[in-house]
Amino acid sequence: MKKLISCFKKLYLIVLLLSLNDSVTFSQPVFTKITNITNPVVTDTMESTGVCWVDFDNDGFLDLFVSNGNVVSQNNSLYLNNKSGGFVKITTGNVVNDGGTSIGGTWGDYNNDGNLDLFVTNRNNFGNFLYIGNGDTTFTKVTTGSIVTDMPNSNSSGWTDVNRDGLVDLFMINFTQNDLLYLNNGLPNFTFTKIDTAAFLNDGGNFSIDGQWADYNNDRFPDFFVGNAGTQNDFVYKNNGNLTFTKTTLNDARATLGASWGDFNNDGYLDLFTSGYLNQKSRLYLNSGPPNYDLLSIDTGIVSNDPANSVGSCWGDFDNDGDLDLFVANDGTLSGFLYLNSGFPNYAFTKVTTGTIAGSIANSFGCAAGDIDNDGQLDIYVANRLNQKNFLFHNDGNNNKWITISCTGITSNKAAIGTKVRVKAIINGNAIWQMQEITPQSGYNSQNLWLHFGLGSAVVIDSIKIEWINGLTHHFTNVQPNDHITISESGNIIGISQNNNEIPEDFSLQQNYPNPFNPVTIIKFNIQRKSRVSITIYDLTGKLIETIAESEMSAGSYEAVWDGSRFASGVYFYSIQAGSYSLTKKMILLK
């Protein structure tokens, strides 16, 4: 009984601290609304609904997918990042010419070839789309199999490895119909087996809108949340590990169009935000942690007391101070809501009421945060319907440190969906652990597979812990901030590190070692003066297969680590471009 009372006291203290949101002073991030008439991502007028930031051409910069079929049949949009803050619209290929009534998309590597694939949901029994990514700006459309020949009234979807066999499966939320699960059969053809009779799929009569997967009880099995329209309650399904789920009803009785998982109080457990529509309040649920992992509704504080027609949402550390802030997209007469997190120890939210975001109003649905120019600051893109221009808010940033992490699975699925990343650093004198998970969607039909951590005043990242969905755990220590790194399930950080900052006599590119290698090799190079540096990998045909680095570097000696585990044995080439200096060398991957 004493332990139980103590538990309730701690919970009460947490809720009390969360309610004290008016006594905290914030350094408000500044956003610039991009209105450049030559930038198609803000000049196209569509029935836009969903937003996905993904690097579909593997060049180290986030590209953009926007679904455009909310009411009428329109083509979806793909925008290629031009690495200078702008985007080029892709106008050829099936993805951008198939029409449809597309409400959203989800990206994952379902055939584990290292290239992201795209699944698009269509409303009104139009039939859904599946595209195999070729690693560039082209895609191959899949035209056979029930995953594309079924005609459900689909609203949202997500790639997730529901049975942890190293292959992402496809879960589909259908409006006014039963949901569907397509299990990935893997080699040789990566076909799918439709599951439509399981109990967790047959909550018929529910106006299901949104489904969000995440492992909220830390057992490495993906669980999921279902948001329902109308006045029905929402559901959380705990994965039992054998294709069965235990259902929990959230007694909210409101129209929920979107939701986002995020650990806003840095306790290591995923909390949940659900958006309220029909001028209703949204909800913030605190994860109680072990043993029950209850989602406890927080009814105090601004986040849970701001009624609107809210749809999309995204967590992100927009001021890089070491905690997750929240952006909410609203459909109608209100601007989007930006809530800043005070961080340790109170983790209380204050609403931003001035600035560009607070002054921009549209019929907004999906939204996603992503660092479009690799400057270490999270920008925000918002999809607006009714043929309105979409919003791109560029984060002008501050001097706080940061790290962006992408992951590549080997035993786990290649896109590492379901993998948790924990980062520890000393921020303002306090040892702070942060945790994020790579999820298949967030908010409303939106996505970003890269994880961004703000680090505040931290000089170094003390520890990075990777919990792969298939059971492996890797630890890395003393990692330098202000970088984008890729971590492989092979146990290596793939990226660039500076050995020293002495000024070399000249630019140079050394032979990789070991060579031949399997699967990891190191490439050393020297930069004589501050330059824009690109390190790229090509196959024997000359096709660009990966960009290791694309950034400005100071004079010094560096080394790059490349993991070839997802590629076949053979001859490859690596190249450096630093200002006017360029050189290419050969290397051999031998498995």
Side-chain angles (χ1 to χ4, degrees):
M1 179 61 71
K2 289 182 178 180
K3 289 184 178 180
L4 183 62
I5 293 174
S6 175
C7 179
F8 276 114
K9 285 182 177 179
K10 290 178 180 179
L11 178 60
Y12 173 78
L13 178 60
I14 291 173
V15 174
L16 178 63
L17 291 173
L18 286 167
S19 68
L20 300 177
N21 62 327
D22 296 324
S23 61
V24 184
T25 301
F26 294 89
S27 176
Q28 179 176 322
V30 176
F31 289 87
T32 298
K33 187 176 181 180
I34 304 301
T35 58
N36 189 335
I37 61 173
T38 63
N39 196 336
V41 301
V42 295
T43 58
D44 285 347
T45 53
M46 299 285 191
E47 291 281 347
S48 299
T49 49
V51 179
C52 296
W53 289 114
V54 284
D55 181 13
F56 55 72
D57 62 344
N58 297 323
D59 69 347
F61 279 78
L62 288 174
D63 310 302
L64 183 65
F65 168 78
V66 181
S67 54
N68 293 321
N70 183 44
V71 177
V72 297
S73 180
Q74 293 180 340
N75 290 324
N76 296 313
S77 299
L78 276 177
Y79 303 98
L80 184 68
N81 195 322
N82 68 6
K83 305 179 184 180
S84 300
F87 293 83
V88 176
K89 186 173 184 177
I90 296 173
T91 58
T92 59
N94 289 323
V95 172
V96 296
N97 286 292
D98 274 346
T101 53
S102 303
I103 200 77
T106 181
W107 294 76
D109 187 359
Y110 83 88
N111 58 357
N112 282 344
D113 66 350
N115 302 317
L116 289 175
D117 313 306
L118 170 64
F119 182 81
V120 177
T121 50
N122 290 305
R123 292 289 292 271
N124 303 321
N125 310 107
F126 191 92
N128 297 314
F129 302 145
L130 176 60
Y131 305 97
I132 300 173
N134 298 322
D136 47 27
T137 61
T138 66
F139 297 81
T140 301
K141 185 177 182 179
V142 176
T143 57
T144 59
S146 60
I147 196 170
V148 294
T149 59
D150 287 342
M151 297 289 177
N153 188 21
S154 300
N155 198 85
S156 66
S157 59
W159 294 109
T160 186
D161 188 0
V162 66
N163 54 2
R164 297 202 319 174
D165 62 353
L167 303 164
V168 286
D169 312 296
L170 194 283
F171 179 74
M172 186 190 304
I173 290 284
N174 296 318
F175 187 63
T176 69
Q177 298 173 344
N178 290 334
D179 301 328
L180 295 171
L181 174 66
Y182 297 89
L183 290 181
N184 192 333
N185 297 321
L187 291 169
N189 299 318
F190 294 96
T191 58
F192 294 87
T193 298
K194 180 170 69 173
I195 307 295
D196 57 3
T197 58
F200 70 95
L201 299 170
N202 293 315
D203 281 324
N206 295 302
F207 294 96
S208 300
I209 293 288
D210 182 63
Q212 299 296 340
W213 289 83
D215 173 22
Y216 79 97
N217 62 346
N218 288 358
D219 65 355
R220 305 203 195 196
F221 280 95
D223 316 297
F224 69 101
F225 164 86
V226 173
N228 295 307
T231 58
Q232 300 180 77
N233 293 318
D234 298 329
F235 307 133
V236 174
Y237 295 87
K238 182 181 71 174
N239 192 334
N240 299 320
N242 55 1
L243 287 184
T244 67
F245 292 79
T246 300
K247 175 180 172 181
T248 298
T249 299
L250 300 179
N251 295 311
D252 45 17
R254 66 188 69 189
T256 301
L257 268 63
S260 296
W261 294 96
D263 179 17
F264 74 85
N265 61 347
N266 287 341
D267 65 352
Y269 310 112
L270 287 172
D271 310 302
L272 180 66
F273 171 82
T274 66
S275 58
Y277 201 66
L278 301 177
N279 200 36
Q280 296 171 331
K281 297 177 182 179
S282 297
R283 283 212 169 181
L284 183 62
Y285 293 93
L286 179 72
N287 190 331
S288 69
N292 296 325
Y293 298 92
D294 295 319
L295 294 176
L296 306 170
S297 178
I298 298 174
D299 298 322
T300 57
I302 186 63
V303 173
S304 299
N305 289 280
D306 219 356
N309 291 325
S310 298
V311 184
S313 58
C314 58
W315 295 100
D317 192 352
F318 299 112
D319 48 9
N320 280 343
D321 63 350
D323 50 70
L324 290 176
D325 311 303
L326 178 65
F327 176 80
V328 180
N330 293 314
D331 175 22
T333 59
L334 296 175
S335 68
F337 297 156
L338 178 60
Y339 304 104
L340 295 183
N341 191 337
S342 68
F344 180 85
N346 294 339
Y347 296 98
F349 290 95
T350 291
K351 182 178 179 180
V352 174
T353 57
T354 60
T356 299
I357 290 179
S360 298
I361 298 174
N363 293 93
S364 302
F365 262 46
C367 62
D371 182 2
I372 65 171
D373 49 4
N374 289 354
D375 65 351
Q377 317 295 328
L378 280 179
D379 313 299
I380 301 173
Y381 192 78
V382 182
N384 298 322
R385 63 187 187 93
L386 301 183
N387 291 314
Q388 299 164 335
K389 295 178 181 178
N390 296 328
F391 297 150
L392 176 58
F393 300 109
H394 180 267
N395 190 336
D396 297 337
N398 54 34
N399 293 323
N400 287 343
K401 302 298 197 317
W402 54 274
I403 188 79
T404 300
I405 299 174
S406 55
C407 295
T408 300
I410 297 177
T411 303
S412 302
N413 66 90
K414 278 289 194 290
I417 291 172
T419 296
K420 279 187 170 65
V421 177
R422 302 178 189 271
V423 172
K424 179 189 177 186
I426 304 300
I427 302 176
N428 296 328
N430 301 299
I432 302 295
W433 275 101
Q434 302 178 62
M435 182 272 289
Q436 296 181 37
E437 181 175 323
I438 301 173
T439 57
Q441 274 199 349
S442 179
Y444 182 88
N445 280 314
S446 299
Q447 183 181 31
N448 186 350
L449 295 172
W450 292 0
L451 304 181
H452 176 95
F453 295 85
L455 298 169
S457 58
V459 177
V460 67
I461 301 170
D462 297 330
S463 180
I464 297 177
K465 183 181 180 182
I466 312 294
E467 297 171 359
W468 302 93
I469 187 174
N470 276 16
L472 285 177
T473 299
H474 287 132
H475 294 263
F476 305 91
T477 58
N478 298 320
V479 178
Q480 293 301 307
N482 291 0
D483 199 2
H484 181 171
I485 62 174
T486 298
I487 299 178
S488 169
E489 201 173 3
S490 65
N492 296 284
I493 293 181
I494 312 303
I496 304 294
S497 60
Q498 185 172 6
N499 297 328
N500 64 70
N501 56 7
E502 296 180 3
I503 299 177
E505 294 182 0
D506 202 352
F507 291 97
S508 66
L509 176 66
Q510 299 179 24
Q511 186 63 49
N512 68 298
Y513 71 97
N515 190 41
F517 64 96
N518 178 27
V520 175
T521 190
I522 297 174
I523 301 167
K524 290 189 175 183
F525 58 95
N526 292 325
I527 303 300
Q528 186 187 39
R529 58 183 175 273
K530 188 175 183 179
S531 305
R532 184 76 181 180
V533 179
S534 174
I535 305 292
T536 48
I537 310 293
Y538 300 85
D539 65 15
L540 191 58
T541 69
K543 178 184 176 181
L544 174 66
I545 60 172
E546 196 156 4
T547 299
I548 300 179
E550 182 78 42
S551 63
E552 192 171 81
M553 298 183 187
S554 302
S557 297
Y558 296 82
E559 63 178 38
V561 179
W562 185 59
D563 186 347
S565 59
R566 63 191 179 97
F567 300 102
S569 296
V571 175
Y572 293 86
F573 299 91
Y574 59 100
S575 178
I576 185 173
Q577 180 75 47
S580 60
Y581 173 79
S582 63
L583 187 64
T584 299
K585 289 180 177 284
K586 181 174 70 174
M587 58 183 174
I588 300 174
L589 173 59
L590 188 60
K591 294 186 176 180

